[in-house]
Amino acid sequence: MPVLDPNPQNGQKKLLIVLGAMLAITVVIAVIATIASP
């Protein structure tokens, strides 16, 4: 059973998108907090 599937299924791609979105939201919140802090 390969760790990295050469042809990822829809579930894996969706999981990757969700993880990327979570990371992007975290970065955006950090940037906003940095700008908003006096």
Side-chain angles (χ1 to χ4, degrees):
M1 192 170 176
V3 177
L4 286 174
D5 212 341
N7 295 319
Q9 257 110 40
N10 237 357
Q12 282 181 310
K13 197 173 287 185
K14 193 178 291 183
L15 185 70
L16 206 71
I17 291 172
V18 168
L19 286 173
M22 283 170 59
L23 189 69
I25 290 170
T26 306
V27 170
V28 168
I29 290 174
V31 170
I32 290 174
T34 305
I35 294 173
S37 66

